[in-house]
Amino acid sequence: MAYANLIVETRDHVGLVKLNRPDALNALNQDLLTELGEALAKFDADDKIRCIVLTGSAKAFAAGADIKEMSDKTAPEMFKLDFFAEGCRAIERTRTPIIAAVAGYALGGGCELAMLCDFILAADTAKFGQPEINLGVIPGMGGTQRLTLAVGKAKAMEMCLSGRFMTAEEAERSGLVSRVIPADKLLDEALAVAAKIADKSPLATMAAKEAVNRAFETNLTEGVMFERRLFHGLFASEDQKEGMAAFIEKREPQFRGR
Ligand code: CO8
């Protein structure tokens, strides 16, 4: 299916979604977020797709919510607009792992979008920020919460209050991104990591994703119990038998998602 604001491709078992509003630095408007939700839902429903890469352009992953689209809105209109929240829910609902491959600006809703993904690989050109304060507002797609969980209060507070951007290097040091990669290698590396994930049992990757995400929602005892139950449950899968047999037989496992 062709999208107006996205380029969507598949590479074997990996789904690639490229934000594509170059004239607006991939600013997140209603159409783009709606399309993104549709594209993710399609990949998630496709058993062949076992990992997703979300990326932007060399200049911008996304420069935030579309300021021009929302500048004249009233509070009741913003209250009724659900596409921002629905865009967030679409990512949260996606059970297939999603890697954000971020080059250039990831600002405001763009930074929040990257943080909604399961982890971020950053090009050395990446710049992260929550500059909403410069517009007289604050982050609205989870930035005050997820940035604080990722980098701690001091840096999150400084970024949200002052609008200061973080470089890729600082973002890695602070735990916001998993790795920094030379910009010209970013997409290849993200696709290679995604292919590696796609080789695992999809039941196990989904379970691992659910268990790590549970760490943000619960206390340690409950989280560990949740993890243990998922661990036990995976012994009902053929993939567990295959994975352990392959280790013992010194061969590569063939995971089938059963
Ligand atoms: N919205 C709309 N258009 C944008 C945006 C944006 N966020 N960012 C850039 N553009 C447009 C520019 O207007 C410009 O268009 P035109 O050529 O028609 O004038 C084009 O993209 C290129 O941008 P610049 O000329 O500004 O490019 P520069 O290289 O000079 O600057 C920057 C790049 C620094 C990224 C600059 O564009 C910028 O500061 N952009 C805005 C960043 C920002 O403030 N983001 C936060 C937006 S608010 C937000 O994200 C809230 C999310 C929560 C919503 C939740 C609702 C419930």
Side-chain angles (χ1 to χ4, degrees):
M1 173 175 168
Y3 295 97
N5 302 282
L6 307 175
I7 298 172
V8 176
E9 297 170 12
T10 55
R11 310 271 173 97
D12 293 325
H13 295 292
V14 175
L16 173 62
V17 180
K18 192 167 185 282
L19 306 177
N20 187 38
R21 279 191 82 203
D23 294 345
L25 302 185
N26 293 332
L28 309 172
N29 65 2
Q30 177 158 12
D31 289 348
L32 185 151
L33 283 172
T34 304
E35 288 184 358
L36 181 59
E38 286 169 15
L40 291 177
K42 272 204 165 151
F43 277 150
D44 211 32
D46 183 344
D47 281 346
K48 289 197 300 296
I49 299 300
R50 295 181 176 186
C51 192
I52 297 167
V53 174
L54 177 63
T55 196
S57 68
K59 178 159 183 187
F61 176 73
D66 191 315
I67 300 167
K68 293 167 188 166
E69 193 178 64
M70 68 185 163
S71 64
D72 291 332
K73 296 269 186 280
T74 63
E77 282 169 343
M78 285 305 287
F79 184 77
K80 281 195 233 153
L81 271 188
D82 198 40
F83 67 84
F84 287 112
E86 181 48 30
C88 297
R89 284 194 291 269
I91 299 165
E92 288 166 339
R93 259 199 308 271
T94 305
R95 301 184 71 198
T96 311
I98 310 178
I99 304 171
V102 174
Y105 295 109
L107 303 179
C111 186
E112 294 169 303
L113 179 63
M115 291 190 292
L116 275 156
C117 297
D118 294 311
F119 62 95
I120 302 173
L121 293 173
D124 50 12
T125 57
K127 291 180 199 65
F128 298 89
Q130 299 291 163
E132 290 92 339
I133 202 78
N134 299 326
L135 303 168
V137 290
I138 66 170
M141 286 169 64
T144 59
Q145 307 302 298
R146 289 196 179 84
L147 189 63
T148 307
L149 287 169
V151 305
K153 177 182 169 183
K155 279 181 186 287
M157 193 67 94
E158 187 197 352
M159 289 171 72
C160 290
L161 291 179
S162 73
R164 177 174 81 80
F165 297 170
M166 212 184 235
T167 63
E169 191 274 328
E170 184 183 2
E172 183 185 23
R173 201 166 4 101
S174 311
L176 179 59
V177 311
S178 65
R179 275 189 297 134
V180 180
I181 294 154
D184 59 344
K185 308 242 167 15
L186 176 70
L187 188 57
D188 285 349
E189 181 60 19
L191 289 168
V193 175
K196 203 173 206 183
I197 292 170
D199 267 351
K200 317 294 180 203
S201 163
L203 301 171
T205 58
M206 282 183 204
K209 169 172 167 157
E210 277 189 35
V212 172
N213 282 331
R214 190 51 80 101
F216 295 100
E217 307 290 348
T218 191
N219 64 38
L220 183 61
T221 305
E222 293 299 322
V224 168
M225 184 54 78
F226 181 77
E227 174 197 87
R228 192 173 301 145
R229 291 292 173 251
L230 286 176
F231 185 88
H232 294 156
L234 289 169
F235 279 71
S237 70
E238 288 176 19
D239 282 353
Q240 174 269 326
K241 300 288 175 280
E242 166 64 8
M244 294 195 180
F247 174 81
I248 293 164
E249 292 160 18
K250 299 187 187 303
R251 62 175 174 81
E252 287 300 312
Q254 297 298 320
F255 292 120
R256 301 163 73 189
R258 294 187 201 156

